[in-house]
Short mmCIF file of all heavy atoms in Angstrom, two decimals:
data_model
loop_
_atom_site.label_atom_id
_atom_site.label_comp_id
_atom_site.label_asym_id
_atom_site.label_seq_id
_atom_site.Cartn_x
_atom_site.Cartn_y
_atom_site.Cartn_z
N LEU A 1 -4.94 9.35 -10.93
CA LEU A 1 -3.68 9.39 -11.51
C LEU A 1 -3.19 10.88 -11.55
O LEU A 1 -3.90 11.77 -11.91
CB LEU A 1 -3.91 8.88 -13.01
CG LEU A 1 -2.67 8.88 -13.86
CD1 LEU A 1 -1.75 7.75 -13.52
CD2 LEU A 1 -3.11 8.74 -15.34
N GLY A 2 -1.98 10.97 -11.06
CA GLY A 2 -1.24 12.30 -11.07
C GLY A 2 -0.25 12.35 -12.26
O GLY A 2 0.28 11.30 -12.59
N VAL A 3 -0.15 13.58 -12.92
CA VAL A 3 0.66 13.62 -14.01
C VAL A 3 1.48 14.87 -13.82
O VAL A 3 1.03 15.99 -13.41
CB VAL A 3 -0.18 13.77 -15.36
CG1 VAL A 3 0.72 14.10 -16.58
CG2 VAL A 3 -1.00 12.60 -15.52
N ASN A 4 2.79 14.78 -14.17
CA ASN A 4 3.74 15.91 -14.11
C ASN A 4 4.39 15.96 -15.45
O ASN A 4 5.03 15.02 -15.87
CB ASN A 4 4.73 15.71 -12.90
CG ASN A 4 5.63 16.87 -12.83
OD1 ASN A 4 6.16 17.45 -13.88
ND2 ASN A 4 6.13 17.22 -11.57
N THR A 5 4.25 17.09 -16.10
CA THR A 5 5.00 17.23 -17.40
C THR A 5 6.04 18.31 -17.35
O THR A 5 6.11 19.30 -18.16
CB THR A 5 4.00 17.56 -18.55
OG1 THR A 5 3.19 18.73 -18.07
CG2 THR A 5 3.07 16.40 -18.72
N GLY A 6 6.82 18.34 -16.29
CA GLY A 6 7.97 19.20 -16.19
C GLY A 6 7.66 20.41 -15.24
O GLY A 6 8.48 21.34 -15.15
N GLU A 7 6.56 20.39 -14.59
CA GLU A 7 6.22 21.53 -13.73
C GLU A 7 7.11 21.60 -12.46
O GLU A 7 7.47 22.69 -12.12
CB GLU A 7 4.72 21.48 -13.21
CG GLU A 7 3.61 21.49 -14.35
CD GLU A 7 3.25 20.27 -14.95
OE1 GLU A 7 3.93 19.14 -14.56
OE2 GLU A 7 2.33 20.16 -15.78
N TYR A 8 7.41 20.41 -11.96
CA TYR A 8 8.24 20.49 -10.70
C TYR A 8 9.65 20.46 -10.97
O TYR A 8 10.56 21.26 -10.64
CB TYR A 8 7.83 19.24 -9.81
CG TYR A 8 8.51 19.24 -8.50
CD1 TYR A 8 8.35 20.14 -7.59
CD2 TYR A 8 9.45 18.24 -8.26
CE1 TYR A 8 9.03 20.27 -6.39
CE2 TYR A 8 10.13 18.18 -7.06
CZ TYR A 8 9.91 19.17 -6.16
OH TYR A 8 10.65 19.16 -4.92
N ILE A 9 10.14 19.60 -11.96
CA ILE A 9 11.54 19.37 -12.46
C ILE A 9 11.53 19.65 -13.99
O ILE A 9 10.93 18.64 -14.65
CB ILE A 9 12.16 18.15 -11.95
CG1 ILE A 9 12.14 18.07 -10.38
CG2 ILE A 9 13.61 18.19 -12.53
CD1 ILE A 9 12.60 16.68 -9.97
N PRO A 10 12.01 20.66 -14.45
CA PRO A 10 11.98 20.92 -15.85
C PRO A 10 12.73 19.70 -16.54
O PRO A 10 13.80 19.25 -16.08
CB PRO A 10 12.65 22.20 -16.13
CG PRO A 10 12.44 22.96 -14.93
CD PRO A 10 12.47 21.91 -13.84
N GLY A 11 12.18 19.19 -17.72
CA GLY A 11 12.86 18.03 -18.42
C GLY A 11 12.44 16.69 -17.88
O GLY A 11 12.99 15.72 -18.34
N VAL A 12 11.55 16.56 -16.85
CA VAL A 12 11.15 15.25 -16.32
C VAL A 12 9.60 15.17 -16.42
O VAL A 12 8.97 16.09 -16.10
CB VAL A 12 11.64 15.14 -14.84
CG1 VAL A 12 11.00 13.89 -14.22
CG2 VAL A 12 13.20 15.26 -14.67
N VAL A 13 9.16 14.01 -16.82
CA VAL A 13 7.72 13.77 -16.85
C VAL A 13 7.55 12.52 -15.93
O VAL A 13 8.37 11.71 -15.71
CB VAL A 13 7.20 13.30 -18.30
CG1 VAL A 13 7.36 14.54 -19.28
CG2 VAL A 13 8.01 12.12 -18.95
N ALA A 14 6.42 12.56 -15.34
CA ALA A 14 6.00 11.53 -14.33
C ALA A 14 4.54 11.30 -14.33
O ALA A 14 3.67 12.15 -14.63
CB ALA A 14 6.55 11.89 -13.00
N ILE A 15 4.17 10.08 -13.85
CA ILE A 15 2.80 9.70 -13.52
C ILE A 15 2.89 9.05 -12.05
O ILE A 15 3.90 8.38 -11.75
CB ILE A 15 2.12 8.74 -14.42
CG1 ILE A 15 2.83 7.45 -14.62
CG2 ILE A 15 1.93 9.48 -15.85
CD1 ILE A 15 2.10 6.47 -15.53
N ALA A 16 1.87 9.09 -11.38
CA ALA A 16 1.75 8.50 -10.03
C ALA A 16 0.31 8.13 -9.72
O ALA A 16 -0.66 8.68 -10.17
CB ALA A 16 2.12 9.58 -8.97
N VAL A 17 0.03 7.07 -8.95
CA VAL A 17 -1.19 6.52 -8.49
C VAL A 17 -1.10 6.43 -6.97
O VAL A 17 -0.06 6.07 -6.41
CB VAL A 17 -1.58 5.26 -9.26
CG1 VAL A 17 -1.77 5.43 -10.69
CG2 VAL A 17 -0.59 4.16 -8.96
N PRO A 18 -2.31 6.60 -6.31
CA PRO A 18 -2.32 6.36 -4.88
C PRO A 18 -2.49 4.89 -4.49
O PRO A 18 -2.82 4.10 -5.26
CB PRO A 18 -3.61 7.13 -4.48
CG PRO A 18 -4.44 7.02 -5.66
CD PRO A 18 -3.57 7.01 -6.87
N VAL A 19 -1.84 4.60 -3.36
CA VAL A 19 -2.00 3.30 -2.78
C VAL A 19 -3.16 3.48 -1.73
O VAL A 19 -2.86 4.07 -0.64
CB VAL A 19 -0.62 2.84 -2.14
CG1 VAL A 19 -0.83 1.52 -1.35
CG2 VAL A 19 0.43 2.65 -3.10
N MET A 20 -4.23 3.01 -2.00
CA MET A 20 -5.45 3.20 -1.29
C MET A 20 -5.60 2.21 -0.13
O MET A 20 -5.59 1.00 -0.33
CB MET A 20 -6.68 3.18 -2.11
CG MET A 20 -6.65 4.36 -3.16
SD MET A 20 -6.56 6.02 -2.53
CE MET A 20 -8.14 6.14 -1.62
N LEU A 21 -5.74 2.60 1.12
CA LEU A 21 -5.96 1.74 2.23
C LEU A 21 -7.47 1.76 2.67
O LEU A 21 -7.87 0.87 3.49
CB LEU A 21 -5.19 2.25 3.38
CG LEU A 21 -3.69 2.33 3.12
CD1 LEU A 21 -2.98 2.81 4.44
CD2 LEU A 21 -3.16 1.07 2.49
N GLY A 22 -8.28 2.51 1.95
CA GLY A 22 -9.70 2.38 2.20
C GLY A 22 -10.33 3.40 1.25
O GLY A 22 -9.60 4.03 0.39
N PRO A 23 -11.69 3.42 1.24
CA PRO A 23 -12.28 4.40 0.24
C PRO A 23 -11.81 5.76 0.25
O PRO A 23 -11.84 6.46 -0.81
CB PRO A 23 -13.78 4.33 0.73
CG PRO A 23 -13.98 3.09 1.51
CD PRO A 23 -12.69 2.82 2.23
N LYS A 24 -11.44 6.33 1.38
CA LYS A 24 -10.97 7.72 1.54
C LYS A 24 -9.61 7.78 2.18
O LYS A 24 -9.32 8.84 2.70
CB LYS A 24 -12.00 8.55 2.18
CG LYS A 24 -13.27 8.69 1.40
CD LYS A 24 -14.25 9.47 2.17
CE LYS A 24 -15.56 9.55 1.33
NZ LYS A 24 -16.55 10.58 2.06
N LYS A 25 -8.85 6.75 2.15
CA LYS A 25 -7.53 6.76 2.88
C LYS A 25 -6.39 6.31 1.98
O LYS A 25 -6.30 5.17 1.54
CB LYS A 25 -7.64 5.74 4.06
CG LYS A 25 -6.46 5.95 4.99
CD LYS A 25 -6.57 5.11 6.25
CE LYS A 25 -5.30 5.33 7.10
NZ LYS A 25 -5.48 4.76 8.37
N VAL A 26 -5.55 7.29 1.75
CA VAL A 26 -4.40 7.10 0.93
C VAL A 26 -3.13 6.81 1.92
O VAL A 26 -2.90 7.46 2.82
CB VAL A 26 -4.02 8.34 0.14
CG1 VAL A 26 -2.68 8.15 -0.78
CG2 VAL A 26 -5.16 8.67 -0.79
N GLY A 27 -2.48 5.65 1.66
CA GLY A 27 -1.37 5.25 2.47
C GLY A 27 0.06 5.61 1.88
O GLY A 27 0.94 5.80 2.49
N ALA A 28 0.07 5.74 0.60
CA ALA A 28 1.33 6.03 -0.20
C ALA A 28 0.87 6.33 -1.57
O ALA A 28 -0.20 6.35 -2.00
CB ALA A 28 2.30 4.79 -0.01
N ALA A 29 2.05 6.47 -2.39
CA ALA A 29 1.77 6.69 -3.79
C ALA A 29 2.94 5.85 -4.58
O ALA A 29 4.04 5.62 -3.94
CB ALA A 29 1.90 8.07 -4.26
N VAL A 30 2.67 5.40 -5.76
CA VAL A 30 3.70 4.74 -6.54
C VAL A 30 3.76 5.61 -7.88
O VAL A 30 2.80 6.01 -8.46
CB VAL A 30 3.27 3.30 -7.00
CG1 VAL A 30 4.25 2.69 -7.91
CG2 VAL A 30 2.98 2.48 -5.79
N ALA A 31 5.05 5.87 -8.20
CA ALA A 31 5.35 6.81 -9.30
C ALA A 31 6.33 6.24 -10.25
O ALA A 31 7.23 5.49 -9.86
CB ALA A 31 5.67 8.21 -8.88
N ILE A 32 6.20 6.70 -11.49
CA ILE A 32 7.35 6.56 -12.46
C ILE A 32 7.72 7.89 -12.97
O ILE A 32 6.84 8.64 -13.29
CB ILE A 32 6.97 5.64 -13.62
CG1 ILE A 32 6.39 4.29 -13.20
CG2 ILE A 32 8.00 5.53 -14.61
CD1 ILE A 32 5.82 3.54 -14.22
N GLN A 33 9.03 8.23 -13.05
CA GLN A 33 9.43 9.48 -13.63
C GLN A 33 10.64 9.11 -14.68
O GLN A 33 11.38 8.26 -14.37
CB GLN A 33 9.83 10.45 -12.63
CG GLN A 33 11.10 10.15 -11.77
CD GLN A 33 11.35 11.31 -10.70
OE1 GLN A 33 10.50 11.94 -10.37
NE2 GLN A 33 12.60 11.42 -10.35
N VAL A 34 10.71 10.00 -15.62
CA VAL A 34 11.69 9.73 -16.62
C VAL A 34 12.06 11.10 -17.35
O VAL A 34 11.17 12.00 -17.41
CB VAL A 34 11.23 8.70 -17.70
CG1 VAL A 34 10.03 9.19 -18.47
CG2 VAL A 34 12.33 8.27 -18.54
N SER A 35 13.22 11.16 -17.87
CA SER A 35 13.68 12.32 -18.59
C SER A 35 12.82 12.51 -19.85
O SER A 35 12.61 11.46 -20.47
CB SER A 35 15.15 12.22 -18.95
OG SER A 35 15.56 13.23 -19.88
N ASP A 36 12.33 13.58 -20.20
CA ASP A 36 11.46 13.81 -21.30
C ASP A 36 12.28 13.60 -22.60
O ASP A 36 11.39 13.55 -23.67
CB ASP A 36 10.61 15.11 -21.28
CG ASP A 36 11.50 16.31 -21.39
OD1 ASP A 36 12.74 16.24 -21.64
OD2 ASP A 36 10.99 17.33 -21.22
N ASP A 37 13.44 13.58 -22.69
CA ASP A 37 14.12 13.22 -23.83
C ASP A 37 14.20 11.77 -24.19
O ASP A 37 14.54 11.26 -25.34
CB ASP A 37 15.60 13.87 -24.00
CG ASP A 37 16.53 13.43 -22.96
OD1 ASP A 37 16.09 12.67 -22.04
OD2 ASP A 37 17.73 13.79 -23.06
N ARG A 38 13.90 10.93 -23.19
CA ARG A 38 13.90 9.45 -23.41
C ARG A 38 12.43 8.96 -23.61
O ARG A 38 12.20 7.95 -24.23
CB ARG A 38 14.26 8.78 -22.10
CG ARG A 38 15.83 9.13 -21.90
CD ARG A 38 16.47 8.18 -20.94
NE ARG A 38 16.37 6.83 -21.59
CZ ARG A 38 16.86 5.74 -21.03
NH1 ARG A 38 17.44 5.79 -19.96
NH2 ARG A 38 16.79 4.69 -21.59
N MET A 39 11.35 9.70 -23.03
CA MET A 39 10.06 9.20 -23.18
C MET A 39 9.12 10.29 -22.90
O MET A 39 9.39 11.21 -22.11
CB MET A 39 9.80 8.10 -22.08
CG MET A 39 8.56 7.43 -22.16
SD MET A 39 8.30 6.13 -20.90
CE MET A 39 9.64 4.91 -21.28
N GLY A 40 8.13 10.43 -23.82
CA GLY A 40 7.04 11.52 -23.64
C GLY A 40 5.98 11.07 -22.71
O GLY A 40 5.83 9.98 -22.27
N ILE A 41 5.16 12.03 -22.17
CA ILE A 41 4.04 11.75 -21.30
C ILE A 41 3.09 10.75 -21.90
O ILE A 41 2.65 9.70 -21.16
CB ILE A 41 3.26 12.99 -20.85
CG1 ILE A 41 2.35 12.73 -19.58
CG2 ILE A 41 2.54 13.50 -22.02
CD1 ILE A 41 3.16 12.32 -18.42
N ASP A 42 2.86 10.69 -23.16
CA ASP A 42 1.93 9.65 -23.92
C ASP A 42 2.56 8.37 -23.80
O ASP A 42 1.80 7.31 -23.41
CB ASP A 42 1.72 10.09 -25.29
CG ASP A 42 0.84 11.28 -25.41
OD1 ASP A 42 0.06 11.60 -24.57
OD2 ASP A 42 0.95 11.96 -26.47
N ASP A 43 3.96 8.15 -23.90
CA ASP A 43 4.59 6.95 -23.73
C ASP A 43 4.43 6.37 -22.38
O ASP A 43 4.13 5.25 -22.00
CB ASP A 43 5.99 7.10 -24.13
CG ASP A 43 6.31 7.41 -25.59
OD1 ASP A 43 5.61 6.96 -26.43
OD2 ASP A 43 7.14 8.22 -25.72
N LEU A 44 4.58 7.36 -21.35
CA LEU A 44 4.57 7.08 -19.99
C LEU A 44 3.16 6.56 -19.54
O LEU A 44 3.04 5.72 -18.64
CB LEU A 44 5.13 8.18 -19.15
CG LEU A 44 5.48 8.03 -17.74
CD1 LEU A 44 6.55 6.98 -17.60
CD2 LEU A 44 6.00 9.36 -17.16
N MET A 45 2.14 7.18 -20.14
CA MET A 45 0.75 6.87 -19.77
C MET A 45 0.40 5.42 -20.09
O MET A 45 -0.46 4.82 -19.57
CB MET A 45 -0.22 7.84 -20.46
CG MET A 45 -0.13 9.25 -19.93
SD MET A 45 -0.65 9.38 -18.20
CE MET A 45 -2.52 9.10 -18.47
N ARG A 46 1.22 4.79 -20.99
CA ARG A 46 0.92 3.43 -21.26
C ARG A 46 1.24 2.45 -20.10
O ARG A 46 0.71 1.34 -20.04
CB ARG A 46 1.80 2.92 -22.56
CG ARG A 46 1.21 3.53 -23.81
CD ARG A 46 1.93 3.03 -24.92
NE ARG A 46 2.85 4.10 -25.41
CZ ARG A 46 3.33 4.24 -26.57
NH1 ARG A 46 3.04 3.33 -27.53
NH2 ARG A 46 4.06 5.26 -26.84
N TRP A 47 2.03 3.07 -19.23
CA TRP A 47 2.34 2.17 -17.99
C TRP A 47 1.28 2.28 -16.86
O TRP A 47 1.37 1.64 -15.81
CB TRP A 47 3.67 2.68 -17.46
CG TRP A 47 4.95 2.23 -18.29
CD1 TRP A 47 5.40 3.00 -19.37
CD2 TRP A 47 5.57 1.10 -18.25
NE1 TRP A 47 6.39 2.23 -19.85
CE2 TRP A 47 6.48 1.00 -19.30
CE3 TRP A 47 5.36 -0.13 -17.36
CZ2 TRP A 47 7.41 0.01 -19.42
CZ3 TRP A 47 6.30 -1.23 -17.58
CH2 TRP A 47 7.30 -1.17 -18.55
N ALA A 48 0.35 3.24 -17.06
CA ALA A 48 -0.65 3.53 -15.97
C ALA A 48 -1.41 2.28 -15.56
O ALA A 48 -1.49 2.16 -14.29
CB ALA A 48 -1.67 4.64 -16.44
N PRO A 49 -1.98 1.35 -16.42
CA PRO A 49 -2.57 0.28 -15.85
C PRO A 49 -1.73 -0.62 -15.04
O PRO A 49 -2.18 -1.11 -13.99
CB PRO A 49 -3.02 -0.48 -17.20
CG PRO A 49 -3.07 0.57 -18.24
CD PRO A 49 -2.04 1.53 -17.93
N GLU A 50 -0.42 -0.81 -15.45
CA GLU A 50 0.47 -1.68 -14.56
C GLU A 50 0.69 -1.00 -13.23
O GLU A 50 0.85 -1.58 -12.18
CB GLU A 50 1.70 -2.00 -15.37
CG GLU A 50 1.42 -2.98 -16.48
CD GLU A 50 2.65 -3.33 -17.31
OE1 GLU A 50 3.69 -3.78 -16.56
OE2 GLU A 50 2.75 -3.16 -18.47
N LEU A 51 0.83 0.39 -13.34
CA LEU A 51 1.21 1.15 -12.16
C LEU A 51 -0.01 0.94 -11.11
O LEU A 51 0.16 0.82 -9.93
CB LEU A 51 1.50 2.53 -12.57
CG LEU A 51 2.21 3.41 -11.40
CD1 LEU A 51 3.54 2.83 -11.07
CD2 LEU A 51 2.32 4.83 -11.90
N ARG A 52 -1.11 1.03 -11.61
CA ARG A 52 -2.38 0.83 -10.75
C ARG A 52 -2.35 -0.51 -10.13
O ARG A 52 -2.70 -0.64 -9.08
CB ARG A 52 -3.67 1.09 -11.55
CG ARG A 52 -3.92 2.54 -11.90
CD ARG A 52 -5.34 2.79 -12.44
NE ARG A 52 -5.59 4.23 -12.68
CZ ARG A 52 -5.51 4.83 -13.90
NH1 ARG A 52 -5.31 4.07 -14.96
NH2 ARG A 52 -5.80 6.02 -13.97
N ALA A 53 -2.08 -1.58 -10.95
CA ALA A 53 -2.12 -2.96 -10.40
C ALA A 53 -1.06 -3.05 -9.31
O ALA A 53 -1.25 -3.64 -8.28
CB ALA A 53 -1.77 -3.85 -11.54
N VAL A 54 0.07 -2.40 -9.54
CA VAL A 54 1.19 -2.44 -8.54
C VAL A 54 0.73 -1.76 -7.22
O VAL A 54 0.83 -2.25 -6.05
CB VAL A 54 2.49 -1.87 -8.96
CG1 VAL A 54 3.42 -1.54 -7.77
CG2 VAL A 54 3.12 -2.67 -10.02
N ALA A 55 -0.09 -0.68 -7.32
CA ALA A 55 -0.47 0.03 -6.21
C ALA A 55 -1.54 -0.78 -5.44
O ALA A 55 -1.52 -0.82 -4.14
CB ALA A 55 -1.16 1.41 -6.57
N GLU A 56 -2.38 -1.54 -6.17
CA GLU A 56 -3.47 -2.34 -5.51
C GLU A 56 -2.71 -3.49 -4.78
O GLU A 56 -3.14 -3.82 -3.57
CB GLU A 56 -4.30 -2.87 -6.59
CG GLU A 56 -5.30 -1.81 -7.06
CD GLU A 56 -6.22 -2.32 -8.28
OE1 GLU A 56 -6.14 -3.56 -8.46
OE2 GLU A 56 -6.69 -1.56 -8.98
N ARG A 57 -1.74 -4.11 -5.40
CA ARG A 57 -0.96 -5.13 -4.69
C ARG A 57 -0.36 -4.70 -3.47
O ARG A 57 -0.18 -5.30 -2.42
CB ARG A 57 -0.05 -5.85 -5.65
CG ARG A 57 -0.74 -6.68 -6.67
CD ARG A 57 0.19 -7.42 -7.66
NE ARG A 57 1.21 -8.09 -7.02
CZ ARG A 57 2.35 -8.53 -7.56
NH1 ARG A 57 2.71 -8.04 -8.70
NH2 ARG A 57 3.25 -9.22 -6.95
N LEU A 58 0.32 -3.46 -3.61
CA LEU A 58 1.03 -2.85 -2.46
C LEU A 58 0.14 -2.55 -1.35
O LEU A 58 0.39 -2.79 -0.10
CB LEU A 58 1.79 -1.62 -2.91
CG LEU A 58 2.67 -0.95 -1.90
CD1 LEU A 58 3.76 -1.90 -1.39
CD2 LEU A 58 3.37 0.24 -2.47
N ALA A 59 -1.08 -2.06 -1.67
CA ALA A 59 -2.14 -1.76 -0.55
C ALA A 59 -2.46 -2.94 0.22
O ALA A 59 -2.70 -2.85 1.41
CB ALA A 59 -3.41 -1.18 -1.26
N GLN A 60 -2.32 -4.18 -0.25
CA GLN A 60 -2.69 -5.38 0.45
C GLN A 60 -1.60 -5.72 1.53
O GLN A 60 -1.89 -6.51 2.35
CB GLN A 60 -2.84 -6.55 -0.61
CG GLN A 60 -4.02 -6.40 -1.49
CD GLN A 60 -4.02 -7.52 -2.52
OE1 GLN A 60 -3.30 -8.43 -2.47
NE2 GLN A 60 -4.92 -7.29 -3.51
N THR A 61 -0.48 -5.07 1.42
CA THR A 61 0.56 -5.37 2.47
C THR A 61 0.55 -4.49 3.62
O THR A 61 1.35 -4.66 4.47
CB THR A 61 2.02 -5.34 1.73
OG1 THR A 61 2.32 -3.98 1.41
CG2 THR A 61 2.06 -6.24 0.52
N PHE A 62 -0.27 -3.36 3.59
CA PHE A 62 -0.41 -2.39 4.63
C PHE A 62 -1.32 -2.93 5.68
O PHE A 62 -2.34 -3.72 5.47
CB PHE A 62 -0.89 -1.15 4.08
CG PHE A 62 0.16 -0.23 3.45
CD1 PHE A 62 0.70 -0.67 2.19
CD2 PHE A 62 0.46 0.91 3.84
CE1 PHE A 62 1.46 0.10 1.49
CE2 PHE A 62 1.43 1.78 3.27
CZ PHE A 62 2.03 1.45 2.10
N ASP A 63 -1.05 -2.45 6.94
CA ASP A 63 -2.03 -2.72 8.07
C ASP A 63 -3.14 -1.90 7.73
O ASP A 63 -3.13 -0.66 7.35
CB ASP A 63 -1.42 -2.23 9.40
CG ASP A 63 -0.36 -3.18 9.93
OD1 ASP A 63 -0.30 -4.29 9.51
OD2 ASP A 63 0.43 -2.70 10.70
N VAL A 64 -4.39 -2.43 7.85
CA VAL A 64 -5.63 -1.64 7.68
C VAL A 64 -6.01 -0.99 8.94
O VAL A 64 -5.67 -1.44 9.96
CB VAL A 64 -6.70 -2.44 6.82
CG1 VAL A 64 -6.32 -2.83 5.54
CG2 VAL A 64 -6.98 -3.78 7.72
N PRO A 65 -7.02 -0.05 8.95
CA PRO A 65 -7.44 0.71 10.09
C PRO A 65 -7.97 -0.18 11.23
O PRO A 65 -7.77 0.12 12.49
CB PRO A 65 -8.41 1.69 9.63
CG PRO A 65 -8.17 1.86 8.29
CD PRO A 65 -7.58 0.58 7.73
N ASP A 66 -8.51 -1.37 10.93
CA ASP A 66 -8.98 -2.19 11.97
C ASP A 66 -8.04 -3.10 12.51
O ASP A 66 -8.30 -3.98 13.37
CB ASP A 66 -10.37 -2.96 11.48
CG ASP A 66 -9.95 -4.00 10.40
OD1 ASP A 66 -8.79 -4.18 10.06
OD2 ASP A 66 -10.87 -4.58 9.86
N GLY A 67 -6.78 -3.01 12.19
CA GLY A 67 -5.67 -3.76 12.78
C GLY A 67 -5.36 -5.13 12.01
O GLY A 67 -4.42 -5.75 12.34
N ARG A 68 -6.25 -5.40 11.06
CA ARG A 68 -5.97 -6.67 10.24
C ARG A 68 -4.83 -6.48 9.23
O ARG A 68 -4.65 -5.26 8.78
CB ARG A 68 -7.13 -7.10 9.49
CG ARG A 68 -8.22 -7.52 10.40
CD ARG A 68 -9.51 -7.89 9.63
NE ARG A 68 -9.97 -6.81 9.02
CZ ARG A 68 -10.45 -6.87 7.70
NH1 ARG A 68 -10.41 -8.04 7.04
NH2 ARG A 68 -10.87 -5.77 7.15
N VAL A 69 -4.12 -7.34 8.85
CA VAL A 69 -3.13 -7.20 7.78
C VAL A 69 -3.55 -8.20 6.71
O VAL A 69 -3.88 -9.32 6.93
CB VAL A 69 -1.67 -7.72 8.39
CG1 VAL A 69 -0.72 -7.63 7.14
CG2 VAL A 69 -1.30 -6.79 9.53
N HIS A 70 -3.57 -7.66 5.50
CA HIS A 70 -4.03 -8.38 4.34
C HIS A 70 -2.76 -9.16 3.86
O HIS A 70 -1.66 -8.57 3.72
CB HIS A 70 -4.54 -7.51 3.21
CG HIS A 70 -5.81 -6.89 3.55
ND1 HIS A 70 -7.09 -7.62 3.53
CD2 HIS A 70 -6.12 -5.61 3.84
CE1 HIS A 70 -7.98 -6.88 3.93
NE2 HIS A 70 -7.36 -5.59 4.15
N SER A 71 -3.04 -10.28 3.38
CA SER A 71 -1.72 -11.16 2.78
C SER A 71 -1.76 -10.86 1.33
O SER A 71 -2.92 -10.67 0.61
CB SER A 71 -2.14 -12.62 2.84
OG SER A 71 -2.17 -12.98 4.27
N PRO A 72 -0.68 -10.60 0.72
CA PRO A 72 -0.50 -10.37 -0.72
C PRO A 72 -1.06 -11.52 -1.59
O PRO A 72 -0.86 -12.66 -1.10
CB PRO A 72 0.90 -10.17 -0.90
CG PRO A 72 1.71 -10.08 0.35
CD PRO A 72 0.63 -10.64 1.40
N SER A 73 -1.78 -11.22 -2.71
CA SER A 73 -2.19 -12.36 -3.46
C SER A 73 -1.29 -12.87 -4.44
O SER A 73 -0.30 -12.27 -4.72
CB SER A 73 -3.47 -11.95 -4.18
OG SER A 73 -3.76 -10.69 -4.29
#
């Protein structure tokens, strides 16, 4: 889980999770960012479990290294 509390863009908080294509292979990332006057990082962290679930489902749609394509569940 990656967390940004305004380091990159002042006034913006964000969390991100990797879309894993294998034990050590990242294919993409899924993130949520919001203005810190609308939501704090603690509020945003409540979305982490759902964000991880989305990343897992998205990973199933990528071509894997052996050439197979997983079907989404």
Side-chain angles (χ1 to χ4, degrees):
L1 178 73
V3 176
N4 182 322
T5 55
E7 296 90 356
Y8 184 66
I9 302 173
V12 174
V13 293
I15 60 172
V17 295
V19 176
M20 300 301 296
L21 303 183
K24 296 182 180 182
K25 185 171 184 175
V26 176
V30 179
I32 302 173
Q33 67 181 27
V34 65
S35 173
D36 66 4
D37 64 350
R38 296 198 61 179
M39 191 179 291
I41 194 67
D42 291 334
D43 299 316
L44 199 54
M45 290 296 288
R46 284 184 259 207
W47 289 93
E50 290 184 55
L51 198 61
R52 284 188 179 107
V54 167
E56 289 173 13
R57 288 178 55 205
L58 185 58
Q60 296 173 7
T61 70
F62 280 68
D63 289 338
V64 292
D66 64 3
R68 294 178 298 140
V69 176
H70 292 290
S71 298
S73 15

